[in-house]
Amino acid sequence: MNTTTASTLPAAAAQKIPWRKSKKLDQWICYWSVPFFYNLFGIVFVPLSWMMPPRSPSSPLPDVVAFMQSHNLLLACAILTLAYGLAPVSNAVYLTQMKRMSVNPAFRVTLMIGSIAGAIVGMLFPLFCFGLGAFRSGYEPAVLQMLYDFGYLAFIGSLGCFCAMWMAFGLAILLDHNNILPKWLGYYTVWQFVTELVAAPVWIDKSGAFGWNGLMTFWLAMLIYVPWQFIVYVCIYKAIRDQPEDELDNAVARKPGRAPAGAGA
């Protein structure tokens, strides 16, 4: 047997390992739950409820009332309530790879806490505002208008937490010496963060390019964010695939009869 043939045997043997016995199975389960969540999220917000693309801040009051009393909103909110639990899984995929980076844990903690705050403001608040408006008929039009404003401003205008978390993610990629994710993704992430800053005027302008449905505050953000979301998960996929098994937390099996560290303390 020559050296070349011998060197290829471990790789060939590794490829024959059943996927159910892979030490990365837990990571892959988390990873593949993410596109399921985002597809469900898109269905709820677009064809089911038509909450997105966002309706105009200056919509006539009768149109606002008709939208807020739609039965589809209740169905959308019921589905989103069930799907909401998958949001932390998507963030865990980021955090697992950030743990491998040669950067201070503060970056990882910033992303984690920012994602928690962002999910509350950017997902739960709109969910309850739109769902509450449709839950019971007979609300005064002024109350429905307030819930309409509250829901959209929370969804489009919740900036600070997302600014912090994506800046931490982008900087972590750029400062990482282990090259877990490509450097160009760090620069792209910084540009994605800039779109959050552009959305700040939604609290001031009720129409035009800087309204919550405007060219700058919504459509520019979508133009940058949607491709970024696809690209980042392709990069995460490659990072999981290429991660050495000896880096995995579950890589070291405990020897029979040996107590785990800290037992009896």
Side-chain angles (χ1 to χ4, degrees):
M1 181 184 297
N2 59 40
T3 307
T4 304
T5 305
S7 64
T8 60
L9 284 177
Q15 292 176 358
K16 294 180 181 179
I17 297 175
W19 64 268
R20 293 183 298 273
K21 295 183 179 180
S22 170
K23 291 188 172 108
K24 297 180 184 179
L25 179 60
D26 46 3
Q27 279 200 78
W28 289 124
I29 290 173
C30 292
Y31 177 86
W32 288 113
S33 71
V34 173
F36 172 77
F37 165 69
Y38 276 106
N39 276 286
L40 192 59
F41 190 80
I43 291 171
V44 165
F45 272 86
V46 183
L48 185 58
S49 66
W50 290 113
M51 287 186 272
M52 296 292 155
R55 294 159 184 264
S56 173
S58 55
S59 291
L61 188 56
D63 292 350
V64 172
V65 172
F67 166 68
M68 293 296 292
Q69 294 275 275
S70 168
H71 292 295
N72 280 1
L73 279 180
L74 291 178
L75 179 59
C77 290
I79 295 173
L80 191 58
T81 300
L82 296 173
Y84 176 70
L86 289 175
V89 180
S90 65
N91 295 317
V93 172
Y94 289 100
L95 295 168
T96 300
Q97 294 306 313
M98 288 182 72
K99 188 177 180 181
R100 302 173 58 205
M101 297 179 181
S102 62
V103 293
N104 193 283
F107 289 98
R108 192 167 70 251
V109 174
T110 299
L111 189 144
M112 179 175 64
I113 296 176
S115 65
I116 294 170
I120 292 172
V121 179
M123 188 184 299
L124 277 182
F125 282 9
L127 164 70
F128 284 112
C129 287
F130 292 127
L132 179 60
F135 182 71
R136 194 186 304 277
S137 60
Y139 284 123
E140 293 291 331
V143 173
L144 294 175
Q145 176 81 68
M146 182 185 69
L147 292 173
Y148 176 84
D149 291 344
F150 189 0
Y152 274 124
L153 285 172
F155 189 85
I156 308 295
S158 50
L159 307 170
C161 45
F162 293 109
C163 286
M165 64 183 285
W166 295 136
M167 179 56 74
F169 185 58
L171 286 176
I173 295 172
L174 294 174
L175 297 175
D176 174 36
H177 296 301
N178 295 334
N179 297 318
I180 303 301
L181 295 172
K183 299 300 180 188
W184 58 262
L185 181 63
Y187 292 108
Y188 192 177
T189 301
V190 171
W191 273 106
Q192 202 283 120
F193 148 79
V194 169
T195 64
E196 304 289 346
L197 298 179
V198 175
V202 298
W203 293 94
I204 301 170
D205 289 346
K206 297 181 178 64
S207 61
F210 290 99
W212 71 48
N213 66 332
L215 177 64
M216 296 298 293
T217 54
F218 180 76
W219 293 107
L220 175 64
M222 290 298 100
L223 181 65
I224 295 177
Y225 173 78
V226 173
W228 174 85
Q229 187 70 76
F230 281 101
I231 290 169
V232 74
Y233 276 105
V234 170
C235 294
I236 292 287
Y237 174 89
K238 293 179 179 179
I240 297 173
R241 182 196 63 190
D242 298 338
Q243 182 176 4
E245 287 196 351
D246 58 6
E247 285 187 12
L248 300 173
D249 292 337
N250 58 344
V252 181
R254 194 178 348 125
K255 294 182 179 179
R258 185 175 179 179

